[in-house]
Amino acid sequence: MSKYLVTGGAGFIGSNLVERLVEDGNDVVIVDDLSMGKIENLDCIPKEHVTFYKRSITDFGFMSRLLITEKFDYIVLLGAVASVADSVDRPAETHSINQEANINVYETIRKHALRVKKVLFASSAAVYGDDPVLPKKETSNIVPLTPYAIDKFSSERYAIVYGKLYDIPTVCTRFFNVYGPRQNPESPYSGVLSIVQSCLKTGKTFKLFGDGEQTRDFTYIDDVIDALLLLLSTPEAKWDVYNVATGKQTSLNDVIKSFEEATDKKLDVVHAETRKGDIKDSFADVTKLRSLGYVAKYDVKHGLNKYVKYNRKLKND
Ligand code: NAD
Ligand code: UD1
């Protein structure tokens, strides 16, 4: 049994990770301010193995005290304003959450010589921006187009440099577009597939920014959790960054079509102008993660079918 800290643990990726960690017999402490996450996301997880703090990761004093007193084996930094568009609207506020709060964690570990088995920081494919070379390799050009992407790149570099300078086992992931159960659709800034799923369910009109020909590497949540567990448990995976994705490129129009087929419903679509800072094309080269034995199990069709099944089961419960 190990002790984990998961920031953002009441969110989409976080709650799915916490569920798996607890199933595997670990104890987890969560810090989440519930700005996007929900306490109900943790309902299915046995309470005796989870401690939840409704706090902001920008409360540096609280975070430092927590790290010093709890002496975590593993730290997973998922807490962030995950929306690219939100960072365009609130650059300074999101900077303190998406960058400064992470540095406070690295700095506390350094200053107090805390011994951790692994610190994992969740970065993003957004760091590659609009560089036309595809697929995106970890060595591809970095062209951040938004405050979100700058903060992700900066936090990942700090993780690696702190790791090497002060011998802290750090590792970073660049997630591509993750989707699946518990992704919150309620904000205009939410992940696109959670919004599509909500519109299909309620019959509300979906606002499509641009012509729908923008492409993404849509990655099912279960594949992301497998990648996180692999990187946390592989000691050689340190001071480095790994793309986490399927390696497949799908347009927004095509993924919507697949979602309509999976639900047997038609999406009502209205078009709007492309969002500021939006990336046109993105998909990953996942050779590096594969070299550790990783295999993505879900293509878009299978991932969407599992997502739809999960939602149907929820409705019947
Ligand atoms: P999410 O919004 O569901 O999760 C983020 C969590 O962080 C939420 O629960 C939110 O309430 C919490 N949070 C936000 N500000 C906070 C603060 N000041 N203090 C404490 N908690 C705070 O998003 P997600 O999709 O689960 O993303 C998890 C991580 O993965 C984020 O760092 C995100 O940037 C990164 N990421 C996500 C994707 C994706 O496609 N979902 C892709 C690349 C990277
Ligand atoms: C997403 C993630 C971001 C991550 C990045 C990695 C979220 C909220 N964003 O950003 O954390 O770092 O992937 O690749 O999880 N769109 C619409 N209508 C909508 C919403 C979105 O047309 O209502 C379009 C967007 O303009 C964009 C595409 O769908 O072209 C995907 O948008 P979004 O889900 O917000 O993802 P990214 O911006 O790629």
Side-chain angles (χ1 to χ4, degrees), residues 224-240:
V224 169
I225 303 305
D226 285 348
L228 287 172
L229 296 178
L230 177 67
L231 290 168
L232 286 164
S233 63
T234 306
E236 312 83 74
K238 76 169 179 183
W239 305 340
D240 214 343

Side-chain angles (χ1 to χ4, degrees), residues 82 84 124-125 148 175-177 183 189-192 195 206-209 214 216 252 275 278:
V84 174
S124 164
Y148 174 85
F175 298 144
F176 282 61
N177 290 62
Q183 190 169 28
Y189 298 127
S190 295
V192 68
I195 299 178
F206 172 72
K207 196 188 266 186
L208 198 162
F209 301 109
Q214 62 265 53
R216 296 289 188 272
L252 191 48
R275 273 175 168 171
D278 206 44

Side-chain angles (χ1 to χ4, degrees), residues 3 61 74 90 106 108 129 162 166 177 211:
K3 197 184 221 182
Y74 294 93
R90 297 188 298 140
Y106 313 148
T108 305
Y162 260 80
Y166 311 114
N177 290 62
D211 60 6

Side-chain angles (χ1 to χ4, degrees), residues 22 34 51 88 128 140 162 171 177 185 213 216 258 283 296 308:
V22 171
L34 300 182
T51 307
V88 173
Y128 298 119
S140 292
Y162 260 80
V171 69
N177 290 62
E213 287 306 300
R216 296 289 188 272
S258 298
F283 82 102
V308 168

Side-chain angles (χ1 to χ4, degrees), residues 91-271:
E93 231 174 304
T94 57
H95 171 71
S96 66
I97 302 164
N98 289 354
Q99 199 252 27
E100 289 171 5
N102 299 312
I103 294 172
N104 176 55
V105 171
Y106 313 148
E107 179 62 3
T108 305
I109 295 170
R110 178 191 78 81
K111 244 174 145 170
H112 298 272
L114 301 177
R115 298 188 65 79
V116 277
K117 291 184 178 146
K118 191 65 74 76
V119 181
L120 185 149
F121 170 70
S123 181
S124 164
V127 302
Y128 298 119
D130 247 352
D131 190 71
V133 180
L134 289 168
K136 304 295 184 193
K137 282 191 179 167
E138 290 83 352
T139 49
S140 292
N141 285 338
I142 299 299
V143 189
L145 301 178
T146 54
Y148 174 85
I150 294 173
D151 287 335
K152 285 294 181 189
F153 188 61
S154 167
S155 296
E156 104 184 19
R157 291 298 104 183
Y158 270 112
I160 291 167
V161 169
Y162 260 80
K164 287 183 183 168
L165 288 175
Y166 311 114
D167 199 22
I168 306 165
T170 51
V171 69
C172 304
T173 53
R174 287 183 188 152
F175 298 144
F176 282 61
N177 290 62
V178 190
Y179 66 97
R182 305 210 278 264
Q183 190 169 28
N184 179 353
E186 283 155 22
S187 148
Y189 298 127
S190 295
V192 68
L193 291 185
S194 68
I195 299 178
V196 169
Q197 114 80 26
S198 162
C199 289
L200 282 167
K201 185 174 145 199
T202 58
K204 259 183 24 202
T205 300
F206 172 72
K207 196 188 266 186
L208 198 162
F209 301 109
D211 60 6
E213 287 306 300
Q214 62 265 53
T215 58
R216 296 289 188 272
D217 194 331
F218 291 103
T219 311
Y220 191 63
I221 182 69
D222 292 10
D223 281 333
V224 169
I225 303 305
D226 285 348
L228 287 172
L229 296 178
L230 177 67
L231 290 168
L232 286 164
S233 63
T234 306
E236 312 83 74
K238 76 169 179 183
W239 305 340
D240 214 343
V241 59
Y242 291 83
N243 284 342
V244 175
T246 67
K248 304 261 160 46
Q249 182 179 26
T250 310
S251 72
L252 191 48
N253 287 330
D254 283 345
V255 83
I256 289 172
K257 215 182 292 162
S258 298
F259 221 149
E260 289 177 329
E261 280 165 17
T263 51
D264 209 14
K265 287 184 177 166
K266 186 95 193 104
L267 187 69
D268 183 34
V269 177
V270 62
H271 282 265

Side-chain angles (χ1 to χ4, degrees), residues 24 55 62 78 90 120 135 181 245 254 282 290:
D24 292 348
R55 297 295 281 256
F62 166 76
L78 295 169
R90 297 188 298 140
L120 185 149
D254 283 345
S282 170
R290 278 203 199 115

